[in-house]
Amino acid sequence: MAQVPLAELLTDITLLCREAPGIVLQGAYLRAARMFCGKTRWLQKPSAFTTEADKVVYTIPPPDDFTDVIGIHAASLTEDSTKINVLTEGYSGEWDPNQVADTSRVPDSYQYVPEGQMALYRTPNQAWQVNLTAVVQPKRDAPSIDATLVIAWDNAPRAGARVYRRHRGRPPWADKVEARAQEAKFVGLCNQAHMSMQRGFNAGAQTTDRAGSSSGAIRTRILPI
C-alpha cells in the first residue's frame, strides 16, 4: 500500500493551530497515529520468514521501511505444498522445555515477544515457511503514513494530533477546552476502530452453525491468515 507524506495530512490541524510550527504538527500527527495503532491493533500487514533447525525465537521482518511490528494477529506454517498448519497463540511459561523429541518437531503454537519477535513451540528441526499477519504502527521517525490508515481512520490521528495542545503549557495555539473535546473524539474513534477490527476478524473466521447432537449447533471456525 502506498504511503502518504505527513506534510499532506496537516491542513485541518493547521487551521486550528495557525501559529504552531509545521514540525510540531507533523510530530503530533505521527504520535497520534502510533497511539491509534497501538490501541486498536487495526493496521495489519502480511509478513513471512523461514524457520531454522533448533532456533526458537525469530525477528519478524517488518512489512516495509515505514512501520514497526507490535503484535501478531494470526500465523500459519507451511509444512509442505499441500499442508498448512494454523499456529495457535500460546504462553511460553506453559511450554515444556524438555519437549519429547520426535522426527518432525513441527511448531504448532507461538508467542509474540517484544520488540517485533516471535517464539515458536515445538522447536523446529528444519526449515519451514511461516506466514503471519503482523500488527504494525508507523515508526517514530516515519516521514509518511500508510494510505490504508489515512483512507479509513484519518479523523482519529487528526483528533489525536490536536490533543497535544493540552499538554504543551501555554503556547499561542493552546486551547484546553478544545483539546478535551478532541481527546474524547480520539478515544471514541479508537474504540470504534478496535470494534471494527474485531468484527473483521470474526467475519473472516467464517463461523458456521450446523446441527449437533446435544448443543443443537456445532460452531466451526477457520482462522483468517
Side-chain angles (χ1 to χ4, degrees), residues 122-181:
R122 297 179 167 269
T123 303
N125 68 347
Q126 66 180 68
W128 283 295
Q129 179 79 14
V130 175
N131 298 300
L132 59 97
T133 302
V135 181
V136 300
Q137 68 181 10
K139 287 186 175 180
R140 292 183 184 276
D141 58 350
S144 58
I145 298 294
D146 190 286
T148 306
L149 178 61
V150 175
I151 292 170
W153 293 103
D154 183 42
N155 284 341
R158 286 181 188 274
R162 295 168 186 147
V163 173
Y164 81 97
R165 295 175 301 174
R166 183 182 181 185
H167 307 290
R168 293 188 60 84
R170 291 184 291 178
W173 60 87
D175 184 339
K176 290 188 176 182
V177 174
E178 177 65 20
R180 283 193 290 269

Side-chain angles (χ1 to χ4, degrees), residues 169-197:
R170 291 184 291 178
W173 60 87
D175 184 339
K176 290 188 176 182
V177 174
E178 177 65 20
R180 283 193 290 269
Q182 294 296 332
E183 185 171 29
K185 180 179 179 181
F186 177 65
V187 172
L189 289 169
C190 285
N191 291 336
Q192 290 179 32
H194 182 71
M195 289 188 290
S196 173
M197 184 275 296

